[in-house]
Structure formats: structure tokens, C-alpha cells
Amino acid sequence: MDTNMVQGTVVDGFEPVREEFAAVAAEEGGDYAAQLVAYRHGERVVDLWTGPAVTADSLFGAYSASKGATHLVVASLVQDGVLDLERTVGHYWPQFAVEGKGDLMLRDLLAHRAGLVGADAGFTIEELADDRIVAERLGAQRPYWRPGTAFGYHALVMGALSGEVVRRATGRSVQELFTERVRDAYGVDFHLGLPQEQESRFLSALPMLATPERVAALAASASSPNSLSGIAFNRNHPQNPGVWELPNFQLVRALGTASFGGVASARGLARMYAVTIGSVDGAAPLLKPETLAMAGQIQSVGHDVVLGAQKAFTIGFHATSEYYPQLGQGSFGHSGAGGQQAFADPRHGIAYGYTRRRTPFPAAAGPENDRLIRALYGAAAAR
């Protein structure tokens, strides 16, 4: 196994993680570009990268891992008493309380139970990138199911909805609050709104390698553009770009679209969750134990009516322990469509961040994450 293709460091005992990362790189081939970082009890124990043009400081599109950043802000506002999960969304956002949505609780909105996965006519990319426009449209719209009775992944709009609640409650955008409370306060290399001077660090996303077998598999599983899934992924709009392309729009990166527009390094993803659950470099954690328990508590579990699969969500996060059995109960985070993965495991004191440039097959969480996480937890248990 050629570990020379992998750069970076691991602390003693975590060499198996480097070896597994190198094995993934060898299997993926020459243009595999990725970063892998992990913390344990506030110490960075894994810091690796590989691939053409990639450095430790390269920035990748975070895709839906952006929802994790957005909902750390929400959790911190609940902790401060600014937001109350038992209030209706309409309490903060009166215009929302129409078309049968007046009784929807903030807790249910954050657990993907609102039924507002998209718009009948879809969105242009300019509209979709602007959280205010999305929120205004969806706030006035009739939901696709009776709110609170089912759940389905609000893939491209959840951050706009929760971000509008934040704006109504505080007078500030979730992007501003993330920058202040997380990025700047803790030195987290995650941007909800990438400054122009940081653009040179960004590596554009690359599409999945389209073999005939993969194309056939995707065609066989494709849903109608006017299905719930089609609407949720904006396929009902004639000019809709592929999800993999979204970070490549400079407007998306500049606005820091709260559902999918974040830009981060794996160092940033992992540190964001490390500072959430424990002390890093002497700083007090972002969230208190009772808030961590709330963030990791499952709110929706079972059949996701958008994705058509078994899923589990907490308060704006994935219930990550439901996807990776090595994790402790109460783990939370969010994956991204380009293969990104990031989470916090408070019970084991582990924070994890993974980025890659080319969209994997199958997409979303990236199948290699299972291998990398098993190697990480095996190494941690052996110490």
C-alpha cells in the first residue's frame, strides 16, 4: 500500500486511519482529491489530504454539511433563550401562519416535518441561492403534506426556512451569526459566505464519473420532476443545474446559502464540531451539555417521504449514530451531496470532517466514509 500519496499527520495510534485513507485513494484513482480530519477530546489526531491541487487549506463546497453550520447557530440561540422549540413558527414569522401552517412548531420545522420541500414552479439558481427569496415564497405556500404528520428531507430549502426564523427573532442573518459565534470566535475554517479574497483557495466541484452502469442505475432510480423528490431537488424547474454543480456558482458561495452554500476545509468541518462538544485550545465549548442532548435527540425517524428511505433527523441535523453504528447515541452532524461528512460524537469526544472534490457514486454521504470512520473508531478504542 502506497501511503506516500497521502500528506499530513496522525498522532501515535492513529496510523490505521492514514492507511485506510491511502487505500481509498489508491482505489479511487489518480484524480481523487480529499481531506480527512478528526479530533478526539479536543486534540486533532488526524490531519490528512491527498490529490491534485489539494493542500490542507483547500476549500471545497460543503453542500448540505452547510445545514450543520446553520443549525449550530439555531442550537446556540435555543441555548440563549432567544428561540423556543415549543413556539409556533408563526410566533416568530407571522406571514408563515397561512395555508394550514399556523400550528407548526419550530421543533417540527427543524425536523423536516413542515411539508415545504420546494415550490410548484421551482426556482431559478439566482432565486434558490437567496434564502430571503426562498423563505418568502415558501412562507406563503400551501405545504405538500399536513405539517407534523410526516417528514421528508427539505434538501435545498431547510436553511432558508430556519434562517428566516433566526432573522425574525434576532434581526440578523444566520450567516452573520455563524461568522460571529463560530467561525471567528473559534477559528473555524468554514464560510457561510465566502469572501472574495478567499476565492483562490476554492477547488471547484467535479461531477461523478459516468460509466454506462452508473448512468443506467441512476436512470432506473430517477423520479418524476413533479414528484416530491423532484420538487425537493428543484428538478421541476427547466433551468435547474445538477446538485453537484451548486458550489461552483460564485453567487452561491458569496451568499453562503444556508442549506448548501457553505465552503469549508476538512479542518474547518472537524473543528466546528470539536468546539461544539468540548474545549479546543482552551476555549469553552459552544454548546452546554443540555443543549448537546437536545441537538442529538431524534425527532423524526422512519420513512422519509422525499427520499423514500429510512432516515433519522434531530433538530436540523442528521442523527448520525443511526447511520454509523460505531458512534455513540446522541451523535449529530450533517453529510453533503458531494460525499462530505461531518459530525460530533459527544459520548466518545470525537469530531470528524471529510471533504472530497469529485462527486462519488452513490452520491450523498460517500461510501468511503464508513471505512474511514471504522478505522478512526478502531484506533480510538485501542488507545
Side-chain angles (χ1 to χ4, degrees), residues 42 49 78 187 193 199 237 251 279:
W49 61 94
V78 172
E199 277 284 338
H237 193 280
L251 177 65
S279 176

Side-chain angles (χ1 to χ4, degrees), residues 26-52:
E27 292 169 21
E28 289 261 357
D31 78 341
Y32 174 66
Q35 302 164 325
L36 173 63
V37 177
Y39 283 76
R40 183 170 184 255
H41 301 310
E43 176 190 11
R44 192 165 68 192
V45 295
V46 175
D47 185 16
L48 302 171
W49 61 94
T50 188

Side-chain angles (χ1 to χ4, degrees), residues 47-320:
D47 185 16
L48 302 171
W49 61 94
T50 188
V54 179
T55 70
D57 294 323
S58 297
L59 297 174
F60 295 78
Y63 295 92
S64 285
S66 307
K67 295 183 181 72
T70 294
H71 292 104
L72 285 178
V73 173
V74 172
S76 73
L77 293 172
V78 172
Q79 178 172 273
D80 292 349
V82 176
L83 294 177
D84 184 346
L85 298 179
E86 308 309 323
R87 291 275 195 179
T88 65
V89 176
H91 170 77
Y92 301 102
W93 179 5
Q95 294 86 347
F96 182 91
V98 297
E99 299 289 352
K101 306 192 301 292
D103 293 332
L104 181 73
M105 307 302 289
L106 179 56
R107 180 185 298 278
D108 284 333
L109 173 73
L110 298 173
H112 295 265
R113 305 181 73 86
L116 294 170
V117 295
D120 287 338
F123 298 98
T124 67
I125 184 60
E126 292 79 14
E127 292 168 339
L128 191 62
D130 191 324
D131 289 335
R132 295 287 300 277
I133 291 174
V134 172
E136 182 178 5
R137 291 263 302 273
L138 297 187
Q141 181 175 295
R142 189 172 189 82
Y144 291 104
W145 63 83
R146 186 158 62 86
T149 62
F151 77 97
Y153 186 39
H154 290 53
L156 302 180
V157 302
M158 173 53 72
L161 294 169
S162 52
E164 185 64 13
V165 173
V166 168
R167 190 182 72 83
R168 298 291 182 125
T170 67
R172 304 178 67 194
S173 73
V174 72
Q175 290 86 353
E176 291 172 330
L177 291 170
F178 176 80
T179 298
E180 178 183 291
R181 290 182 172 226
V182 183
R183 194 187 83 190
D184 291 351
Y186 291 96
V188 169
D189 194 22
F190 191 120
H191 303 266
L192 278 182
L194 184 64
Q196 182 61 42
E197 61 269 21
Q198 298 291 332
E199 277 284 338
S200 62
R201 299 173 57 204
F202 174 71
L203 295 181
S204 59
L206 299 175
M208 177 193 75
L209 290 174
T211 65
E213 295 78 13
R214 290 177 176 182
V215 171
L218 290 173
S221 63
S223 57
S224 163
N226 293 310
S227 66
L228 269 181
S229 177
I231 293 167
F233 287 93
N234 202 43
R235 292 197 298 270
N236 58 332
H237 193 280
Q239 282 83 50
N240 178 50
V243 171
W244 75 268
E245 297 180 83
L246 291 174
N248 291 347
F249 288 92
Q250 197 273 335
L251 177 65
V252 169
R253 300 193 300 274
L255 293 178
T257 310
S259 292
F260 57 81
V263 176
S265 64
R267 285 179 174 178
L269 285 169
R271 187 177 178 90
M272 178 176 77
Y273 283 109
V275 303
T276 297
I277 62 174
S279 176
V280 178
D281 297 334
L286 175 68
L287 299 184
K288 299 175 181 177
E290 57 270 25
T291 314
L292 291 175
M294 174 202 73
Q297 186 180 49
I298 295 172
Q299 305 292 320
S300 294
V301 64
H303 181 75
D304 182 309
V305 298
V306 168
L307 300 177
Q310 178 87 6
K311 296 294 176 182
F313 292 99
T314 73
I315 301 297
F317 302 97
H318 284 150
T320 315

